[in-house]
Amino acid sequence: LRREAKTMAIPKGYVKYAAIVDLTTSDIQRIPLEKFFRDYDINPRLWIGGDGFITKILWKDIPRAIDPLSPENEIVLASGPWTGTAAPQAGRSMMGCIGPESEGFSSGSLGWFFPAALKYAGYEILIVRGKAEKPVYIFIDDEEITIRDASAIWGKETGETVKAIRTELKERYDSEIRVLSISVAGENLIKYAPPCGDGTSCPGRSGAGGVMGSKNLKAIAARGTGEI
């Protein structure tokens, strides 16, 4: 028992929570990271972060073949213990799902400032499930998470979407809010479409833009003021 407790201890570099957002039911869960690791049998010293976490999550949650563009698919964002620190190349995160092209595990890496903002908000992992009835975006404002109407920005390019969301949310200084969004390719379910962080960095090869479009999820916005 002592050995098991030791292996499940949270190493330095990880923040407080994992979050699960169900767009079908609008249910939002904020789960202490230690409990989340227990639920998914994740030893953070073995799986470390990024693709390791995403692999464990999708393996448990999706045990059989599914249509990647169905509500059964999940989008998973996961960082690692260096993300948001001063370590070299530490501004990155992984985004994974069941890929529309391969119909198997698919992931891509994104950078710029969205991964750090998500982590400064207190979230190591974000899982998005289900499908919204109409276009929406998710806003993570430190520990608070809300689902907001995106009808007015559906059809916009990523750069336009970033500006529109920052204006709507009344950011307090330029680029305070970071936005991961899809463009018209994702909205039209192009199988290889990626989302784009602040109109700059895309997790290519993941096909997650098409999966976001299938969920009527235009964007994920994050404002984080915490620390690691």
Side-chain angles (χ1 to χ4, degrees), residues 11-15 79-93 112-120 124 226-228:
K12 292 180 179 179
Y14 295 102
V15 291
S79 59
W82 278 14
T83 303
T85 71
Q89 300 295 314
R92 306 196 69 81
S93 181
W112 206 237
F113 290 100
F114 180 86
L118 185 64
K119 194 151 180 173
Y120 293 150
E124 196 69 45
E227 61 185 19
I228 301 168

Side-chain angles (χ1 to χ4, degrees), residues 10 23 37 50 55 91 102 134 211:
I10 306 299
L23 297 177
F37 283 163
T55 301
S102 67
K134 60 182 182 180
V211 177

Side-chain angles (χ1 to χ4, degrees), residues 32 131 148 170 192 197 202 211 219:
K131 179 181 180 178
R148 296 177 173 244
K170 297 181 174 61
Y192 52 82
C202 304
V211 177

Side-chain angles (χ1 to χ4, degrees), residues 117-135:
L118 185 64
K119 194 151 180 173
Y120 293 150
Y123 294 98
E124 196 69 45
I125 298 163
L126 173 66
I127 303 172
V128 183
R129 298 172 174 166
K131 179 181 180 178
E133 291 185 1
K134 60 182 182 180

Side-chain angles (χ1 to χ4, degrees), residues 36-228:
F36 183 89
F37 283 163
R38 287 199 304 268
D39 291 346
Y40 279 86
D41 191 28
I42 293 173
N43 182 330
R45 294 188 180 278
L46 296 179
W47 295 88
I48 300 182
D51 269 353
F53 292 169
I54 293 169
T55 301
K56 289 285 281 186
I57 292 164
L58 292 178
W59 183 263
K60 181 177 187 295
D61 288 354
I62 306 177
R64 57 182 179 80
I66 62 167
D67 177 357
L69 298 178
S70 73
E72 295 175 272
N73 203 352
E74 296 184 347
I75 295 165
V76 187
L77 277 157
S79 59
W82 278 14
T83 303
T85 71
Q89 300 295 314
R92 306 196 69 81
S93 181
M94 299 300 293
M95 187 173 193
C97 58
I98 302 301
E101 270 197 299
S102 67
E103 298 187 358
F105 177 87
S106 185
S107 71
S109 171
L110 70 149
W112 206 237
F113 290 100
F114 180 86
L118 185 64
K119 194 151 180 173
Y120 293 150
Y123 294 98
E124 196 69 45
I125 298 163
L126 173 66
I127 303 172
V128 183
R129 298 172 174 166
K131 179 181 180 178
E133 291 185 1
K134 60 182 182 180
V136 298
Y137 71 93
I138 295 168
F139 180 36
I140 300 166
D141 191 5
D142 283 325
E143 293 186 0
E144 182 181 5
I145 302 176
T146 54
I147 301 171
R148 296 177 173 244
D149 184 16
S151 299
I153 54 175
W154 198 256
K156 291 184 180 294
E157 301 289 347
T158 54
E160 296 175 305
T161 298
V162 172
K163 293 177 182 177
I165 288 177
R166 287 174 173 171
T167 299
E168 179 178 306
L169 297 176
K170 297 181 174 61
E171 62 179 5
R172 295 165 293 197
Y173 56 85
D174 186 45
S175 301
E176 178 194 26
I177 294 169
R178 300 295 174 170
V179 182
L180 180 68
S181 62
I182 61 171
S183 188
V184 291
E187 293 173 4
N188 286 284
L189 311 186
I190 300 301
K191 291 183 177 182
Y192 52 82
C196 196
D198 291 334
T200 301
S201 183
C202 304
R205 298 181 297 178
S206 65
V211 177
M212 286 177 66
S214 74
K215 296 180 177 300
N216 282 327
L217 178 62
K218 180 64 175 176
I220 303 168
R223 173 165 54 197
T225 62
E227 61 185 19
I228 301 168

